[in-house]
Amino acid sequence: MVDTAPAEPQAPPVQRRPEQRTPPSPGARVRPAERPLSTPGPPLVPASVPVPVLVPPAEPHSTATLIGSVQRAMRLLESVAAHEHGAPAKQLARETGLALPTAYHLLRTLVFEGYLRREKGLFFLGASAERLGSSGARQTRRSTVVDALAHWRDAIGVPVYYAVYRDGDIEVVCVSDTPANPAVEEWADFRETGHAHAIGQCLLSQLDEQDRRDHLDRHPVQTVTPYTVRDSHTLLRRLDRMRRMELVVERQEYALGTVCAAIPITIGSTAATLAISLPSHQAGRLLDAAQQLQTEVGRLVGSFAISISI
């Protein structure tokens, strides 16, 4: 409701007479309280001193940029991973301290994205999460191999190679060398010239006859240097004469001016090898260096074996 009543009349303001001040006599000392209003006082801060600007102290650590839903989803994944035989939503919500509706929402999202799977009301890690885990495990195993090769390279003073026979082909996984002791340049594809280098011959020696012939059908023997084996029949006879887990030596069959030795490593059904190379003018130390590598590998065979499948 609007008030339409007239306002009460106000009393007129009281007129105050200005206070009379007697001007100070010349030469008289004026106290601050008696300073004439027309005389400005001294500045509070000298003009030459900058006035500081007050800045509020920074927060020690802010979590404002963290995404809470991601944090909650990660806690759910960790909780599911702790249950090998699966867990229901109520249990997961209780373990992570989440409200049940929130847990359901996040669990459904994780299932949709493949990080979880649901079976009979229980939640398990899904394919996407397992791929993340296997990728991390592979990186860890590869790091183990790289560190081991670098150790042997420095201890023996030669380039060290690690290779496996995988899916019907020769795969050089890691090479560790230094500028002073460089690795052999792959001037001809290692996969197609396995008959010519120590790595390939060592891997082929670990296969059965059928797999050897299958490999040579796909990658026929060809001349790489004047010292390369001439035909597949000669190569197969050489491989047959090799004793199981015997050191393989090759002299300038792949690269002129280079000699190589390879040590067979068989774990389960995986054929693998560690190899070294030297310039041909150092051929006299090839066997000693290879035997030293065998000894070094024997000391670490347990930890190295788990890395064989990277």
Side-chain angles (χ1 to χ4, degrees):
M1 183 174 62
V2 179
D3 187 359
T4 58
E8 292 285 340
Q10 296 184 359
V14 177
Q15 297 294 327
R16 297 183 180 273
R17 296 179 62 184
E19 183 177 350
Q20 298 295 325
R21 291 181 177 269
T22 303
S25 60
R29 185 176 180 181
V30 181
R31 295 195 301 271
E34 299 174 348
R35 187 178 303 276
L37 297 178
S38 60
T39 305
L44 297 177
V45 180
S48 60
V49 179
V51 178
V53 179
L54 298 179
V55 179
E59 296 182 13
H61 180 70
S62 176
T63 59
T65 58
L66 300 182
I67 301 176
S69 59
V70 175
Q71 294 176 305
R72 292 188 287 270
M74 293 299 101
R75 292 206 301 270
L76 280 172
L77 282 174
E78 292 173 353
S79 184
V80 172
H83 297 281
E84 181 181 357
H85 303 291
K90 290 183 178 180
Q91 182 178 355
L92 296 171
R94 183 170 59 253
E95 292 176 353
T96 55
L98 299 177
L100 188 57
T102 301
Y104 270 124
H105 177 72
L106 291 172
L107 289 169
R108 284 197 300 269
T109 302
L110 292 169
V111 169
F112 178 81
E113 295 294 336
Y115 290 97
L116 295 179
R117 57 186 174 87
R118 186 178 184 180
E119 294 181 7
K120 299 179 180 179
L122 301 179
F123 290 91
F124 302 82
L125 289 180
S128 296
E130 291 171 356
R131 281 195 297 270
L132 288 176
S134 61
S135 176
R138 283 196 302 272
Q139 291 180 15
T140 301
R141 292 196 298 269
R142 183 179 180 85
S143 177
T144 301
V145 172
V146 170
D147 291 345
L149 262 62
H151 168 75
W152 296 325
R153 175 202 66 199
D154 295 338
I156 306 172
V158 295
V160 184
Y161 311 75
Y162 172 54
V164 298
Y165 194 83
R166 178 181 293 154
D167 298 328
D169 269 319
I170 295 166
E171 180 182 345
V172 178
V173 180
C174 296
V175 179
S176 186
D177 64 351
T178 64
N181 296 294
V184 178
E185 181 181 355
E186 187 181 355
W187 70 277
D189 193 328
F190 277 150
R191 293 171 299 179
E192 298 179 0
T193 57
H195 60 281
H197 48 72
I199 287 175
Q201 293 177 28
C202 186
L203 292 174
L204 292 173
S205 72
Q206 299 176 60
L207 306 180
D208 58 33
E209 184 177 358
Q210 180 179 351
D211 288 338
R212 290 176 191 168
R213 292 185 179 276
D214 174 71
H215 180 89
L216 295 175
D217 287 342
R218 290 180 290 108
H219 304 293
V221 171
Q222 54 183 310
T223 299
V224 181
T225 75
Y227 302 94
T228 306
V229 64
R230 295 303 177 192
D231 52 63
S232 59
H233 179 69
T234 303
L235 176 65
L236 288 171
R237 283 199 308 169
R238 179 194 295 183
L239 296 175
D240 285 337
R241 290 196 300 268
M242 290 181 184
R243 295 191 300 272
R244 182 172 176 79
M245 309 309 290
E246 182 181 6
L247 181 70
V248 178
V249 176
E250 165 262 304
R251 302 177 188 274
Q252 303 190 82
E253 294 184 45
Y254 175 78
L256 293 176
T258 303
V259 295
C260 301
I263 301 169
I265 303 173
T266 302
I267 298 177
S269 60
T270 302
T273 181
L274 286 165
I276 61 173
S277 64
L278 283 169
S280 55
H281 68 270
Q282 297 183 30
R285 61 182 290 248
L286 180 66
L287 291 180
D288 288 341
Q291 290 168 358
Q292 185 179 351
L293 179 59
Q294 278 184 311
T295 302
E296 292 282 340
V297 173
R299 292 171 182 165
L300 296 177
V301 68
S303 59
F304 191 78
I306 65 173
S307 307
I308 203 74
S309 61
I310 66 171

